[in-house]
């Protein structure tokens, strides 16, 4: 990790900030709040902004970024922006147009990172999640290696500086890495990762291939309609709470620092100004050495938590 610039190197020579701001929006939150939150995040010090075509907020996020460039808070080169290829655009001839569509909404010339959002191609068309008469998602037969080749062409065209993947397992990654004529390896793999789901095997695999793991859901699985409501709430966990009390930090900061000390880039999201500023404190302040004592404790704790879910 480059502690001075709080970045880690990617395998293509570029650098990614270790802490990123996520822009997914719950159904109950107006999209206009994304503009406000993204501005607040940039003002608080976030330089890594993560979004995606499917979030349907790139126009708002782009507006926020451009406003902070215009008022002199940042320059474009200070911002590391991530977008993602949605599953209905996996056909090679749709990859570049999808990215160009995102750039048009953002009103930016390039993105810093472009990811395949899921390794699951869906039927191309106007619907984000095409479904059959039984309500099941309609998949499409597209070779991931063909999609990846189209991603490589986007990098060559200067539309994105780096390319990577999201929600890939080891087998999906091997498929890309073993592709004949591979020009660029994925620089990262963005997956859900937190102390209850520490992704240790996937992290070890990614490290062995010089692929950075990026964690979303770092403060626990979202409490939405897709989540089992009986799932424990990470930030309410008594062990995490005890560690936070011991080191005079919030449970959220302990959970975030845990990821950073494993070499994982971490994404956080919030529409609350106080929490946005608080999350940045994981990179600042006194008592940094104390966090290192937390690292081993958290690592053991997460292992026990993972095992307890299997008993």
């Amino acid at each position: 990790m480059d502690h001075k610039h709080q970045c880690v190197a990617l395998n293509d020579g570029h650098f990614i900030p270790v802490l990123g701001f996520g822009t997914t929006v719950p159904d109950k939150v107006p999209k206009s709040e994304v503009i406000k939150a993204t501005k607040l995040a940039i003002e608080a010090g976030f330089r890594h902004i993560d979004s995606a075509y499917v979030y349907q907020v790139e126009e708002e996020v782009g507006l926020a970024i451009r406003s902070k460039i215009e008022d002199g808070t940042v320059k474009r080169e200070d911002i590391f922006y991530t977008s993602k290829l949605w599953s209905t655009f996996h056909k090679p001839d749709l990859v570049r147009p999808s990215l160009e569509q995102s750039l048009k909404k953002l009103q930016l010339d390039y993105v810093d990172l472009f990811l395949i959002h899921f390794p699951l191609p869906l039927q191309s068309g106007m619907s984000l999640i095409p479904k059959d008469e039984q309500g099941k998602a309609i998949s499409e037969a597209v070779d991931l290696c063909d999609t990846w080749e189209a991603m490589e062409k986007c990098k060559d065209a200067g539309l994105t500086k780096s390319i990577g993947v999201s929600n890939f397992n080891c087998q999906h990654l091997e498929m890309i890495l073993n592709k004949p004529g591979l020009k660029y390896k994925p620089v990262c793999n963005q997956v859900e990762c937190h102390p209850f789901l520490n992704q240790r095997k996937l992290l070890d695999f990614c490290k062995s291939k010089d692929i950075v793991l990026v964690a979303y859901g770092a403060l626990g699985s979202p409490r939405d309609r897709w989540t089992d409501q009986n799932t424990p709430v990470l930030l309410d966990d008594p062990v995490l709470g005890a560690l936070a009390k011991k080191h005079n930090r919030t449970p959220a900061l302990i959970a975030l620092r845990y990821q950073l000390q494993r070499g994982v880039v971490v994404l956080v999201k919030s529409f609350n100004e106080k929490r946005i500023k608080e999350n940045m404190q994981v990179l600042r302040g006194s008592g940094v050495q104390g966090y290192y004592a937390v690292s081993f404790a958290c690592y053991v704790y997460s292992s026990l938590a993972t095992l307890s879910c299997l008993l």
Side-chain angles (χ1 to χ4, degrees):
M1 182 187 294
D2 181 340
H3 290 284
K4 182 178 179 181
H5 298 100
Q6 299 168 337
C7 294
V8 294
L10 300 173
N11 62 41
D12 64 355
H14 293 295
F15 291 83
I16 184 171
V18 296
L19 184 65
F21 183 75
T23 61
T24 52
V25 185
D27 294 337
K28 62 183 179 180
V29 176
K31 287 186 179 181
S32 60
E33 287 296 304
V34 178
I35 301 173
K36 179 182 177 182
T38 304
K39 286 181 180 180
L40 287 171
I42 294 173
E43 290 167 0
F46 282 90
R47 296 296 179 262
H48 176 179
I49 308 296
D50 181 89
S51 196
Y53 175 89
V54 76
Y55 299 166
Q56 300 288 282
V57 293
E58 288 193 298
E59 188 172 344
E60 289 80 6
V61 173
L63 178 60
I65 292 172
R66 295 194 316 277
S67 73
K68 300 318 293 179
I69 292 173
E70 290 167 3
D71 71 11
T73 302
V74 292
K75 298 177 181 178
R76 171 63 185 93
E77 57 267 28
D78 297 328
I79 296 294
F80 186 100
Y81 180 82
T82 299
S83 188
K84 306 180 189 75
L85 178 77
W86 182 237
S87 295
T88 55
F89 299 108
H90 275 218
K91 285 184 177 180
D93 63 324
L94 297 179
V95 174
R96 178 167 176 165
S98 172
L99 177 51
E100 290 175 334
Q101 188 174 349
S102 285
L103 289 171
K104 184 177 180 179
K105 290 180 178 180
L106 292 160
Q107 294 186 41
L108 298 177
D109 295 327
Y110 66 91
V111 299
D112 296 272
L113 179 60
F114 191 41
L115 308 179
I116 296 178
H117 205 151
F118 283 94
L120 304 169
L122 295 176
Q123 184 182 71
S124 55
M126 298 300 293
S127 176
L128 288 175
I129 305 179
K131 296 180 179 180
D132 61 19
E133 294 178 354
Q134 284 72 46
K136 296 181 179 179
I138 304 173
S139 60
E140 193 159 61
V142 182
D143 191 325
L144 278 175
C145 290
D146 292 338
T147 303
W148 185 254
E149 190 170 327
M151 298 279 287
E152 292 177 323
K153 291 178 180 177
C154 288
K155 176 176 169 66
D156 285 337
L159 300 177
T160 181
K161 290 187 174 182
S162 300
I163 52 177
V165 298
S166 179
N167 299 299
F168 274 45
N169 60 29
C170 296
Q171 290 72 32
H172 294 133
L173 287 168
E174 287 281 17
M175 189 185 306
I176 301 297
L177 294 171
N178 294 330
K179 173 187 174 296
L182 180 69
K183 191 170 186 179
Y184 305 115
K185 293 199 306 183
V187 298
C188 71
N189 183 21
Q190 186 183 127
V191 298
E192 182 179 355
C193 184
H194 48 76
F196 285 168
L197 180 67
N198 67 16
Q199 302 280 14
R200 189 183 307 171
K201 289 184 179 179
L202 183 59
L203 175 60
D204 289 344
F205 178 85
C206 286
K207 285 183 175 181
S208 75
K209 303 297 182 182
D210 195 19
I211 295 171
V212 172
L213 196 74
V214 179
Y216 68 79
L219 300 182
S221 300
R223 313 301 291 183
D224 54 28
R225 65 182 184 274
W226 307 108
T227 306
D228 181 355
Q229 297 305 304
N230 293 319
T231 301
V233 177
L234 176 63
L235 297 183
D236 291 343
D237 186 88
V239 178
L240 196 61
L243 287 167
K245 184 177 180 180
K246 177 180 178 181
H247 296 279
N248 195 29
R249 294 292 188 271
T250 64
L253 287 176
I254 296 293
L256 296 178
R257 189 73 190 192
Y258 158 68
Q259 298 289 12
L260 296 182
Q261 292 181 197
R262 301 168 77 210
V264 174
V265 171
V266 63
L267 303 176
V268 289
K269 67 172 184 176
S270 178
F271 293 93
N272 180 287
E273 183 175 1
K274 180 181 178 181
R275 291 199 188 105
I276 290 172
K277 291 179 178 179
E278 176 190 290
N279 289 334
M280 277 302 301
Q281 296 307 310
V282 74
L283 302 177
R284 300 173 181 165
S286 60
V288 172
Q289 292 301 320
Y291 273 122
Y292 288 87
V294 176
S295 181
F296 178 73
C298 277
Y299 189 80
V300 173
Y301 155 63
S302 73
S303 301
L304 292 173
T306 301
L307 285 174
S308 69
C309 293
L310 301 178
L311 294 177

